[in-house]
Amino acid sequence: MTRRRVLIADDEPLARERLGRMVDELEGYQVVAEAATGTQVLAAVADRTPDLVLLDIRMPGGDGLDVAKQLAARADPPAIIFCTAYDEYAIRAFEVQAAAYLLKPVRRQALAEALSRAERLNRAQLQALRSRPEENTHHLTVTSARGTELVDMTRVRYCEADQKYVTLHYDEGNTLTDLSLKALEQRFPDHLLRIHRNTLVGTRYVRALERLDDGACQLRVADVPDALPVSRRHVARVRQRLREL
C-alpha cells in the first residue's frame, strides 16, 4: 500500500516529535521531513513533495499562514492541516485553503480524522475554499472536539436538533454545531429544507415523499437508511419544494 507523505512543521522539537509519533502510529502515512521555520517548510516541500503538511502558525522565518498561502499557489499543492495553540486564526486558515485546523495538544483521533478529510478534498472543494468563508454561500465553520473544520453544506444530508446542539450528517460522518436549525435554515435557504421542528434535509438528496397508512408522511433521503418523518404542518411546503426541484 502506498503511504501518504507527511511533512511536520513546528518550531518546537518536542511538538514535532509528538506529532511524528502519532503519524507513525497511523496506517498509510509516513513522515518524510520536518521543518522548524517557514523558510524550511518551503524548501522541504520543494525537495520532498509531501502530500500533507502539519503546519504550526507562529514560526520564525514566515508564519504558517504566509507559508500556506505560498504553498496554495503551487501547481500541485500539498493539503494543509494547521496544528496550533491559538484558536483565533481559524477563519484566516480556511482562507488559505486549510483542510483542517487542530488545537494543541492534538489528539490522535482528531489527527487521524483530519488526515482522512484532507485526502478527500478534491480540486473543486479547494477552489471553493479560496473565497472568504463569511462570503461563501455554502460553507459553515464548525469547531468541535476534533478541531475547527469547514463543512460544505451542499454535502449535508440532514440536520437534526437535540437539546441545544444540532448534528450535521454529511459525507464525512457527522459533527455538532451550536447554531440553531432556524439559523441554519435562514443562512442556507437554497440547500436546506425544513421537514420537522427537529429536522432539516439537504434538498439535493431528497428522493421521495411517502404517505403511510395512518396518513403520516416520511421523506426518503439519499444515503440515509431510515426515512425521516415529516410533520403535518410541513407537508405542503415539502411537496411544493419537491415540485420546484
Side-chain angles (χ1 to χ4, degrees), residues 25-71:
E25 292 170 358
L26 297 174
E27 184 178 358
Y29 300 94
Q30 63 174 331
V31 177
V32 296
E34 295 185 4
T37 69
T39 302
Q40 290 178 5
V41 173
L42 296 174
V45 168
D47 181 52
R48 303 306 302 274
T49 60
D51 302 299
L52 307 114
V53 178
L54 305 182
L55 184 61
D56 194 9
I57 285 186
R58 295 189 179 179
M59 295 188 303
D63 71 25
L65 291 169
D66 291 336
V67 169
K69 186 175 182 179
Q70 294 181 62
L71 293 179

Coordinates of all heavy atoms in Angstrom, one line a residue, residues 25-71:
E25 N 2.0 6.0 14.0 CA 1.1 5.0 14.5 C -0.1 4.8 13.6 O -0.9 3.8 13.8 CB 0.6 5.4 15.9 CG 1.7 5.4 17.0 CD 1.2 6.0 18.3 OE1 0.1 6.5 18.3 OE2 2.0 6.0 19.3
L26 N -0.3 5.7 12.7 CA -1.4 5.6 11.8 C -1.1 4.9 10.5 O 0.0 5.2 9.9 CB -1.9 7.0 11.4 CG -2.5 7.9 12.6 CD1 -2.8 9.3 12.1 CD2 -3.7 7.2 13.2
E27 N -1.9 4.0 10.1 CA -1.6 3.2 8.9 C -1.8 4.0 7.7 O -2.8 4.8 7.5 CB -2.6 2.0 8.8 CG -2.3 1.0 7.7 CD -3.2 -0.2 7.7 OE1 -4.0 -0.3 8.6 OE2 -3.1 -1.0 6.7
G28 N -0.9 4.0 6.8 CA -1.0 4.6 5.5 C -0.3 6.0 5.4 O -0.4 6.7 4.4
Y29 N 0.5 6.3 6.4 CA 1.2 7.6 6.4 C 2.6 7.5 6.9 O 2.9 6.6 7.7 CB 0.5 8.6 7.4 CG -1.0 8.9 7.0 CD1 -2.0 8.2 7.6 CD2 -1.3 9.8 6.1 CE1 -3.3 8.4 7.3 CE2 -2.6 10.1 5.7 CZ -3.6 9.3 6.3 OH -4.9 9.6 6.0
Q30 N 3.5 8.3 6.4 CA 4.9 8.3 6.8 C 5.4 9.7 6.8 O 5.1 10.6 6.0 CB 5.7 7.5 5.9 CG 5.8 8.0 4.4 CD 6.8 7.2 3.6 OE1 7.8 6.6 4.1 NE2 6.5 7.1 2.3
V31 N 6.2 10.1 7.8 CA 6.8 11.4 7.9 C 8.1 11.4 7.0 O 9.0 10.6 7.2 CB 7.2 11.7 9.4 CG1 7.9 13.1 9.4 CG2 6.0 11.7 10.3
V32 N 8.1 12.3 6.1 CA 9.3 12.3 5.1 C 10.2 13.5 5.4 O 11.3 13.6 4.9 CB 8.8 12.4 3.7 CG1 8.0 11.1 3.3 CG2 7.9 13.6 3.4
A33 N 9.7 14.5 6.2 CA 10.6 15.6 6.5 C 10.0 16.4 7.7 O 8.8 16.3 8.0 CB 10.7 16.5 5.3
E34 N 10.9 17.2 8.3 CA 10.5 18.1 9.4 C 11.0 19.5 9.1 O 12.0 19.6 8.4 CB 11.0 17.6 10.7 CG 10.4 16.3 11.2 CD 10.8 15.9 12.6 OE1 11.5 16.7 13.3 OE2 10.4 14.8 13.1
A35 N 10.4 20.5 9.7 CA 10.9 21.9 9.4 C 10.5 22.7 10.7 O 9.6 22.4 11.4 CB 10.2 22.5 8.2
A36 N 11.4 23.7 11.0 CA 11.3 24.5 12.2 C 11.0 26.0 11.8 O 10.6 26.7 12.7 CB 12.5 24.4 13.0
T37 N 11.1 26.3 10.6 CA 10.8 27.7 10.1 C 10.0 27.7 8.9 O 10.0 26.7 8.1 CB 12.2 28.5 9.9 OG1 12.8 27.9 8.7 CG2 13.1 28.4 11.1
G38 N 9.5 28.9 8.6 CA 8.7 29.0 7.3 C 9.6 28.7 6.1 O 9.2 28.1 5.1
T39 N 10.8 29.2 6.1 CA 11.7 29.0 5.0 C 12.0 27.5 4.8 O 12.1 27.0 3.7 CB 13.0 29.8 5.2 OG1 12.7 31.2 5.4 CG2 14.0 29.6 4.1
Q40 N 12.2 26.8 5.9 CA 12.5 25.4 5.8 C 11.3 24.6 5.3 O 11.5 23.6 4.5 CB 12.9 24.8 7.2 CG 14.2 25.3 7.7 CD 14.6 24.8 9.1 OE1 13.8 24.0 9.6 NE2 15.7 25.2 9.6
V41 N 10.1 25.1 5.6 CA 8.9 24.4 5.1 C 8.9 24.5 3.6 O 8.7 23.5 2.9 CB 7.6 25.0 5.6 CG1 6.4 24.5 5.0 CG2 7.5 24.8 7.1
L42 N 9.1 25.7 3.0 CA 9.0 25.8 1.6 C 10.1 25.0 0.9 O 9.8 24.4 -0.2 CB 9.2 27.3 1.2 CG 8.1 28.3 1.7 CD1 8.4 29.7 1.5 CD2 6.7 27.9 1.1
A43 N 11.3 25.0 1.5 CA 12.4 24.2 0.9 C 12.1 22.7 0.9 O 12.3 22.0 0.0 CB 13.7 24.5 1.6
A44 N 11.5 22.3 2.1 CA 11.2 20.8 2.2 C 10.1 20.4 1.3 O 10.1 19.3 0.7 CB 10.8 20.5 3.7
V45 N 9.1 21.2 1.1 CA 8.0 20.9 0.2 C 8.5 20.8 -1.3 O 8.2 19.8 -2.0 CB 6.9 21.9 0.2 CG1 5.9 21.7 -0.9 CG2 6.2 21.9 1.5
A46 N 9.4 21.7 -1.7 CA 10.0 21.6 -3.0 C 10.9 20.4 -3.2 O 10.9 19.8 -4.2 CB 10.8 22.9 -3.2
D47 N 11.6 20.0 -2.1 CA 12.5 18.9 -2.2 C 11.9 17.5 -2.0 O 12.2 16.5 -2.7 CB 13.6 19.1 -1.1 CG 14.7 18.0 -1.2 OD1 15.2 17.7 -2.3 OD2 14.9 17.4 -0.1
R48 N 10.9 17.4 -1.0 CA 10.4 16.1 -0.7 C 9.0 15.9 -1.2 O 8.4 14.8 -1.1 CB 10.4 15.9 0.9 CG 11.8 16.1 1.5 CD 12.8 15.2 0.9 NE 12.4 13.8 0.9 CZ 12.7 13.0 2.0 NH1 13.4 13.5 3.0 NH2 12.3 11.7 2.0
T49 N 8.3 16.9 -1.7 CA 7.0 16.8 -2.3 C 6.0 16.0 -1.4 O 5.5 15.0 -1.8 CB 7.0 16.3 -3.7 OG1 7.5 14.9 -3.7 CG2 7.8 17.1 -4.7
P50 N 5.7 16.5 -0.2 CA 4.8 15.8 0.7 C 3.4 15.9 0.2 O 3.0 16.9 -0.6 CB 5.0 16.5 2.0 CG 5.4 17.9 1.6 CD 6.3 17.7 0.4
D51 N 2.5 15.0 0.5 CA 1.1 15.0 0.2 C 0.4 15.9 1.2 O -0.6 16.5 0.9 CB 0.5 13.6 0.3 CG 1.2 12.7 -0.7 OD1 1.1 13.0 -1.9 OD2 1.7 11.7 -0.3
L52 N 0.9 15.9 2.5 CA 0.2 16.7 3.5 C 1.2 17.4 4.4 O 2.3 16.8 4.6 CB -0.6 15.7 4.4 CG -1.6 14.8 3.7 CD1 -1.2 13.4 3.9 CD2 -3.0 15.0 4.3
V53 N 0.9 18.5 4.9 CA 1.8 19.3 5.8 C 1.0 19.6 7.1 O -0.1 20.2 7.0 CB 2.2 20.6 5.1 CG1 3.1 21.4 6.1 CG2 3.0 20.4 3.8
L54 N 1.6 19.2 8.2 CA 1.1 19.5 9.5 C 1.8 20.8 9.9 O 3.0 20.8 10.2 CB 1.3 18.4 10.5 CG 0.8 17.0 10.1 CD1 1.0 16.0 11.3 CD2 -0.7 17.1 9.8
L55 N 1.1 21.9 10.0 CA 1.8 23.2 10.0 C 1.4 24.1 11.2 O 0.2 24.3 11.4 CB 1.4 24.0 8.7 CG 2.0 25.3 8.4 CD1 3.5 25.3 8.3 CD2 1.4 25.9 7.1
D56 N 2.4 24.5 11.9 CA 2.1 25.4 13.0 C 1.9 26.8 12.4 O 2.3 27.1 11.3 CB 3.3 25.5 14.0 CG 3.0 26.1 15.3 OD1 1.8 26.4 15.6 OD2 3.9 26.4 16.1
I57 N 1.3 27.7 13.2 CA 1.1 29.1 12.7 C 2.2 30.1 13.1 O 2.7 30.8 12.2 CB -0.3 29.6 13.1 CG1 -1.4 28.9 12.3 CG2 -0.4 31.1 13.0 CD1 -2.8 29.4 12.6
R58 N 2.5 30.1 14.3 CA 3.6 31.0 14.8 C 4.9 30.4 14.7 O 5.3 29.6 15.6 CB 3.3 31.5 16.2 CG 2.0 32.3 16.3 CD 1.8 33.0 17.6 NE 0.6 33.8 17.7 CZ 0.2 34.5 18.8 NH1 1.0 34.4 19.9 NH2 -0.9 35.2 18.8
M59 N 5.7 30.7 13.6 CA 7.0 30.2 13.4 C 7.9 31.3 12.9 O 7.5 32.2 12.3 CB 7.0 29.0 12.4 CG 6.2 27.8 12.8 SD 6.5 26.5 11.5 CE 6.0 27.3 10.0
P60 N 9.2 31.2 13.2 CA 10.1 32.2 12.6 C 10.3 31.9 11.1 O 10.0 30.8 10.6 CB 11.5 31.9 13.4 CG 11.4 30.5 13.8 CD 9.9 30.2 14.1
G61 N 10.8 32.9 10.4 CA 11.1 32.7 9.0 C 9.8 32.6 8.2 O 9.8 31.9 7.2
G62 N 8.7 33.3 8.5 CA 7.5 33.3 7.8 C 6.5 32.5 8.5 O 6.7 31.3 8.7
D63 N 5.4 33.1 9.0 CA 4.4 32.3 9.8 C 3.6 31.4 8.9 O 3.7 31.4 7.7 CB 3.5 33.3 10.6 CG 2.5 34.0 9.8 OD1 2.2 33.6 8.7 OD2 2.0 35.1 10.2
G64 N 2.9 30.5 9.6 CA 2.2 29.4 8.9 C 1.2 29.9 7.9 O 1.1 29.2 6.8
L65 N 0.5 31.0 8.2 CA -0.5 31.5 7.2 C 0.2 31.9 5.9 O -0.3 31.7 4.9 CB -1.3 32.6 7.9 CG -2.2 32.2 9.0 CD1 -2.7 33.4 9.8 CD2 -3.4 31.3 8.5
D66 N 1.3 32.7 6.1 CA 2.0 33.1 4.9 C 2.6 31.9 4.1 O 2.5 31.9 2.9 CB 3.2 34.0 5.3 CG 2.7 35.4 5.8 OD1 1.6 35.8 5.5 OD2 3.4 36.0 6.6
V67 N 3.1 30.9 4.8 CA 3.6 29.8 4.1 C 2.5 29.0 3.4 O 2.7 28.6 2.2 CB 4.3 28.8 5.2 CG1 4.6 27.5 4.5 CG2 5.6 29.5 5.7
A68 N 1.4 28.9 4.0 CA 0.3 28.2 3.4 C -0.2 28.9 2.2 O -0.6 28.2 1.2 CB -0.9 28.0 4.4
K69 N -0.2 30.2 2.2 CA -0.6 31.0 1.0 C 0.3 30.7 -0.1 O -0.1 30.6 -1.3 CB -0.6 32.5 1.4 CG -1.2 33.3 0.3 CD -1.3 34.8 0.7 CE -1.9 35.7 -0.3 NZ -2.0 37.1 0.1
Q70 N 1.6 30.6 0.2 CA 2.6 30.4 -0.9 C 2.5 28.9 -1.4 O 2.6 28.7 -2.6 CB 4.0 30.6 -0.4 CG 4.3 32.1 0.0 CD 5.7 32.3 0.5 OE1 6.7 32.0 -0.3 NE2 5.9 32.7 1.7
L71 N 2.2 28.0 -0.5 CA 2.0 26.6 -1.0 C 0.8 26.5 -1.8 O 0.8 25.7 -2.8 CB 2.0 25.7 0.3 CG 3.2 25.6 1.1 CD1 3.0 24.6 2.3 CD2 4.4 25.0 0.3

